[in-house]
């Protein structure tokens, strides 16, 4: 089959990753985004390429995505790829038991796990001068700069001369023509395609619902914050022991014991919290996060989780945080089946809807784009 014309609806990481996969295989891509620039989960995340907590069934795909991000980072410096790794700091015997089991697991080598004494933690990340028993180091974790990655990737795609991006363009209808499909936008333009990929993020209504009805996805809301520059390097991403509760890669009797024997603080339990912290290229820290599953979501942000995150981060750093300069909330799309990595729903012969990676869009984007291209014969 010769080069195809692919229209992608949605300008977030999943849509852009599919554009990358198609352009790399020699196809022509037109991408439509209803906002002037993506403003959903893609830019409201940590920029983490997070291998450490992925389940065994996701691990190969995650490692492939990590490889693709490193390759992209070499070609597109604006992505801000850095193979920084992560350290999950443990503060109780129950958390230490989980970390020890992870470091001894069958997948420990593939993930780059090593359990470190506090002195070795500080040798790798000298900013961690606070109180903790040990650190689970994951050398394969990495980071990209989420707020600048997409414009950089689009510039790279545009240089191929087989890619165009239409900002401020809302797709109103998609019609399968038998030999392909036609997309009509809100400016009266028609885009013909051999294949249409709709990557709507957390927009499950409107066009998504018209095309595929109810799909097995839910929306998840989180809160995060950004500090002023730290004034010193935070050489790895940092997590706390609560994160063991939320990542399937750690599941097992040790996590069961942690849940049974060690309660989260009232605030952390109410907001289903874990600490994740990563330093941005400008030196500030992005810190989160919370998990909210029951809609309707609030339109405002709650202060108590920020106080909890500040106090945990300060305990681990052994110092006061710089001033908080931004706070925000975001919503992402998650498949309701914990075993499902992404939702691909066939709307028609030449039209697919793809969403629901569940907070893993940045981590898995490049590999999911590649996987879709394989599945659909691109």
């Amino acid at each position: 089959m010769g080069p195809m014309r692919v229209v992608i609806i949605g300008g977030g990481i999943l849509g852009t990753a599919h554009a990358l996969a198609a352009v790399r295989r020699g196809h022509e891509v037109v991408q439509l985004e209803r906002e002037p620039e993506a403003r959903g989960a893609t830019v409201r995340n940590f920029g983490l390429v997070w291998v450490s907590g992925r389940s065994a069934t996701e691990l190969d795909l995650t490692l492939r995505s990590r490889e693709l991000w490193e390759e992209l980072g070499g070609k597109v410096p604006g992505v801000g790829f850095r193979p920084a790794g992560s350290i999950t700091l443990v503060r109780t015997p129950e958390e230490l038991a989980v970390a020890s089991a992870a470091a001894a697991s069958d997948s420990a080598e593939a993930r780059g796990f090593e359990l470190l004494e506090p002195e070795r933690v500080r040798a790798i990340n000298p900013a961690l001068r606070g109180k903790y028993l040990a650190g689970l180091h994951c050398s394969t974790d990495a980071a990209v700069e989420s707020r600048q990655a997409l414009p950089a990737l689009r510039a790279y795609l545009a240089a191929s001369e087989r890619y165009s991006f239409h900002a401020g363009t809302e797709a109103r209808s998609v019609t399968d023509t038998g030999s392909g499909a036609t997309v009509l936008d809100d400016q009266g333009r028609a885009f013909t395609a051999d294949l249409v990929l709709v990557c709507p993020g957390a927009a499950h209504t409107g066009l998504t619902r018209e095309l595929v009805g109810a799909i097995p996805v839910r929306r998840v809301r989180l809160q995060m914050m950004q500090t002023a520059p730290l004034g010193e390097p935070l050489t790895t991403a940092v997590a706390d022991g609560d994160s063991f509760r939320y990542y399937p890669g750690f599941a097992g009797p040790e996590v069961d014991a942690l849940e049974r024997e060690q309660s989260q603080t009232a605030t952390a339990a109410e907001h289903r919290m874990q600490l994740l912290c990563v330093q941005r290229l400008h030196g500030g820290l992005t810190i989160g996060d919370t998990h909210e599953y029951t809609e309707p979501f609030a339109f405002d942000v709650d202060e108590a989780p920020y106080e909890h995150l500040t106090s945990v981060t300060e305990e681990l750093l052994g110092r006061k945080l710089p001033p908080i300069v931004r706070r925000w909330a975001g919503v992402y799309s998650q498949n309701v089946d914990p075993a499902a990595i992404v939702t691909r729903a066939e709307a028609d012969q030449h039209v697919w809807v793809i969403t629901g990676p569940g907070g893993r869009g940045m981590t898995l984007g490049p590999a999911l784009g590649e996987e879709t291209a394989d599945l659909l014969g691109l």
Side-chain angles (χ1 to χ4, degrees):
M1 186 183 290
M4 295 171 67
R5 180 176 165 90
V6 181
V7 173
I8 295 174
I9 298 170
I13 182 57
L14 215 51
T16 305
H18 282 81
L20 273 164
V23 167
R24 290 174 76 162
R25 293 175 185 221
H27 304 296
E28 180 191 348
V29 171
V30 176
Q31 188 174 16
L32 314 180
E33 165 55 43
R34 64 184 177 182
E35 301 284 352
E37 178 62 72
R39 11 179 329 112
T42 295
V43 293
R44 303 187 197 197
N45 64 45
F46 295 92
L48 291 171
V49 181
W50 201 247
V51 177
S52 51
R54 300 278 61 95
S55 70
T57 54
E58 298 169 73
L59 186 55
D60 287 347
L61 189 71
T62 308
L63 289 169
R64 174 59 181 158
S65 209
R66 162 73 169 73
E67 190 181 311
L68 289 168
W69 270 123
E70 185 154 21
E71 184 187 318
L72 283 167
K75 293 177 180 173
V76 190
V79 162
F81 177 84
R82 43 213 189 270
S86 74
I87 299 179
T88 300
L89 296 172
V90 301
R91 297 179 289 165
T92 67
E94 291 82 7
E95 293 173 358
L96 181 58
V98 180
S100 301
S105 68
D106 293 342
S107 63
E109 187 176 350
R111 296 175 197 264
F113 275 162
E114 187 182 4
L115 189 61
L116 306 177
E117 297 287 332
E119 299 72 30
R120 289 200 59 214
V121 170
R122 285 187 273 272
I124 291 171
N125 194 337
L128 296 173
R129 295 185 287 271
K131 297 176 185 169
Y132 46 87
L133 297 179
L136 180 65
H137 185 224
C138 178
S139 60
T140 54
D141 283 340
V144 295
E145 205 65 9
S146 47
R147 292 186 186 218
Q148 66 183 51
L150 289 194
L153 289 173
R154 290 199 304 267
Y156 169 70
L157 286 168
S160 72
E161 300 188 341
R162 286 180 284 108
Y163 171 82
S164 59
F165 180 72
H166 297 272
T169 300
E170 185 165 348
R172 283 290 171 86
S173 69
V174 183
T175 307
D176 199 294
T177 61
S179 58
T182 302
V183 177
L184 295 180
D185 74 4
D186 56 354
Q187 297 165 51
R189 294 176 297 188
F191 300 91
T192 58
D194 297 298
L195 179 68
V196 175
L197 302 177
V198 183
C199 299
H204 299 158
T205 57
L207 183 63
T208 305
R209 184 178 287 163
E210 285 175 25
L211 289 172
V212 289
I215 50 177
V217 290
R218 63 176 175 177
R219 294 170 7 121
V220 182
R221 181 179 184 265
L222 52 75
Q223 291 184 194
M224 296 167 65
M225 63 182 175
Q226 177 80 49
T227 74
L230 185 64
E232 61 181 319
L234 186 75
T235 56
T236 69
V238 175
D240 73 348
D242 275 342
S243 65
F244 292 144
R245 303 169 190 263
Y246 296 101
Y247 289 113
F250 297 109
E254 293 80 15
V255 171
D256 295 342
L258 173 68
E259 294 273 23
R260 196 170 54 244
E261 295 166 23
Q262 181 183 314
S263 298
Q264 291 187 274
T265 68
T267 296
E270 180 189 349
H271 296 275
R272 298 177 178 87
M273 296 183 69
Q274 60 178 343
L275 171 73
L276 291 177
C277 175
V278 62
Q279 190 169 43
R280 302 262 65 95
L281 290 176
H282 55 62
L285 305 180
T286 296
I287 300 171
D289 62 359
T290 62
H291 302 86
E292 186 181 349
Y293 303 105
T294 306
E295 298 202 50
F297 297 137
F299 62 85
D300 45 12
V301 293
D302 251 343
E303 194 58 25
Y306 292 116
E307 292 170 358
H308 170 82
L309 291 168
T310 298
S311 114
V312 174
T313 309
E314 289 181 346
E315 182 177 336
L316 299 176
L317 291 174
R319 58 167 282 184
K320 294 288 285 179
L321 275 182
I324 308 302
V325 294
R326 288 195 188 97
R327 304 173 195 267
W328 67 93
V331 177
Y332 60 82
S333 176
Q334 181 183 63
N335 194 295
V336 294
D337 176 3
I341 294 174
V342 72
T343 300
R344 292 184 181 92
E346 186 175 10
D348 220 320
Q349 188 180 353
H350 303 95
V351 184
W352 287 78
V353 174
I354 305 162
T355 186
R360 298 167 292 187
M362 206 55 139
T363 292
L364 294 177
L368 290 174
E370 187 178 70
E371 187 178 70
T372 299
D374 287 342
L375 288 168
L376 301 185
L378 280 176

